[in-house]
């Protein structure tokens, strides 16, 4: 399994365009600006594959990337952007509802939160959405490079408690900027998706 072999497949603005086939789907979600695009770019070893800093209003799409012909990485639209219109928020809600109601979409959930802060109410809602599917959930605590070492353990405990994660849900300290946690995140995704381990170039 080679995570460097990634291709963009489709940007779905409508549930008609959701992909249904036998390949596992790993869906990434996170509050706008939490570093979701940076995290995806980091694990795919790309500079600007998922769009970093995409403008609000242009992000209500579900973007599919095919990894090594074996797995879909699904980039769900960000949430919690204070400045978006009600119409935009409604569009987001409808699309997410359709995605999560579809039994053939999600196999593994990846939720990105900020390692510095207590998860927001929106984060909790998103975690509940993931949990309602019964699919394994991985939580990525991003921006680790901005957290003091002495505070990390407490922050991780707060994230686990606030999102009410069960023991099976993995919480991975991560820095999209530095690359910390990259291999652990990839291996965990593959394990939860039932695929063999990734091979990393030395
Ligand atoms: P998205 O809206 O969730 O896709 O977030 P982006 O990937 O566009 O990142 C938002 C901002 O956070 C950008 O300025 C990134 O450079 C920055 N960022 C993302 N990940 C990290 C990280 O691990 N550490 C630090 N310090 N900044 C990060």
């Amino acid at each position: 399994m080679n995570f460097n072999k990634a291709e963009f497949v489709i940007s779905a603005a409508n549930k008609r365009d959701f992909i249904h086939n036998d390949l596992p789907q790993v869906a990434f979600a996170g509050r706008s600006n939490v570093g979701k695009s940076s995290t995806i770019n980091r694990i795919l070893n790309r500079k600007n594959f998922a769009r970093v800093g995409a403008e609000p209003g242009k992000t209500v799409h579900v973007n599919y990337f095919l990894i090594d012909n074996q797995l879909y990485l699904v980039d769900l639209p960000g949430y919690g952007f204070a400045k978006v219109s009600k119409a935009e928020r409604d569009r987001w809600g409808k699309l997410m509802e359709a995605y999560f109601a579809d039994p053939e979409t999600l196999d593994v959930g990846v939720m990105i939160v900020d390692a510095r802060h207590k998860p927001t109410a929106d984060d909790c809602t998103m975690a509940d959405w993931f949990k309602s599917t019964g699919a394994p959930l991985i939580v990525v605590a991003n921006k680790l490079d901005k957290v003091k070492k002495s505070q990390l353990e407490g922050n991780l405990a707060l994230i686990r408690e606030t999102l009410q994660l069960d023991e099976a849900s993995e919480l991975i300290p991560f820095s999209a900027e530095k690359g910390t946690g990259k291999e652990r995140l990839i291996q965990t995704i593959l394990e939860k998706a039932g695929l063999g381990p990734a091979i990393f170039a030395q």
Side-chain angles (χ1 to χ4, degrees):
M1 182 79 192
N2 183 353
F3 259 69
N4 295 339
K5 271 177 76 181
E7 57 186 290
F8 172 75
V9 183
I10 193 175
S11 188
N14 198 298
K15 67 178 176 188
R16 278 194 309 271
D17 294 327
F18 290 167
I19 291 178
H20 297 103
N21 61 27
D22 289 343
L23 296 184
Q25 298 194 13
V26 180
F28 280 62
R31 204 158 33 79
S32 296
N33 234 23
V34 73
K36 178 166 56 69
S37 312
S38 304
T39 298
I40 292 170
N41 288 329
R42 171 60 73 178
I43 65 170
L44 299 182
N45 239 349
R46 301 293 176 102
K47 277 244 159 358
N48 218 349
F49 214 47
R51 274 209 7 224
V52 173
E55 281 173 57
K58 298 201 173 149
T59 55
V60 186
H61 285 89
V62 173
N63 293 318
Y64 291 83
F65 303 95
L66 179 60
I67 318 294
D68 203 6
N69 292 315
Q70 295 184 62
L71 167 86
Y72 287 106
L73 192 161
V74 185
D75 184 7
L76 299 175
Y79 52 86
F81 211 104
K83 285 186 189 138
V84 303
S85 65
K86 183 179 181 306
E88 203 61 35
R89 261 202 305 276
D90 288 349
R91 238 156 61 76
W92 182 90
K94 269 204 180 130
L95 197 63
M96 287 300 88
E97 222 168 274
Y99 185 82
F100 282 96
D102 189 333
E104 287 173 58
T105 49
L106 184 75
D107 292 281
V108 180
V110 179
M111 221 187 111
I112 324 276
V113 296
D114 194 316
R116 296 170 295 180
H117 307 302
K118 182 177 172 168
T120 64
D122 285 338
D123 289 330
C124 293
T125 303
M126 185 43 94
D128 287 343
W129 235 330
F130 274 119
K131 287 183 217 165
S132 73
T133 67
L137 176 61
I138 302 166
V139 177
V140 172
N142 188 37
K143 307 199 182 183
L144 179 67
D145 54 287
K146 290 198 164 176
V147 176
K148 286 201 192 88
K149 267 214 173 85
S150 60
Q151 291 179 341
L152 179 61
E153 212 175 309
N155 288 14
L156 292 178
L158 183 64
I159 290 168
R160 206 169 248 293
E161 187 188 307
T162 309
L163 296 179
Q164 298 187 310
L165 301 181
D166 61 17
E167 281 173 20
S169 301
E170 203 138 344
L171 175 59
I172 302 181
F174 193 88
S175 167
E177 184 149 307
K178 307 279 183 209
T180 325
K182 175 183 157 181
E183 292 199 4
R184 181 173 166 199
L185 175 56
I186 291 175
Q187 301 295 18
T188 307
I189 288 171
L190 291 175
E191 183 195 314
K192 305 277 184 198
L195 294 166
I199 293 156
F200 295 100
Q202 292 304 307

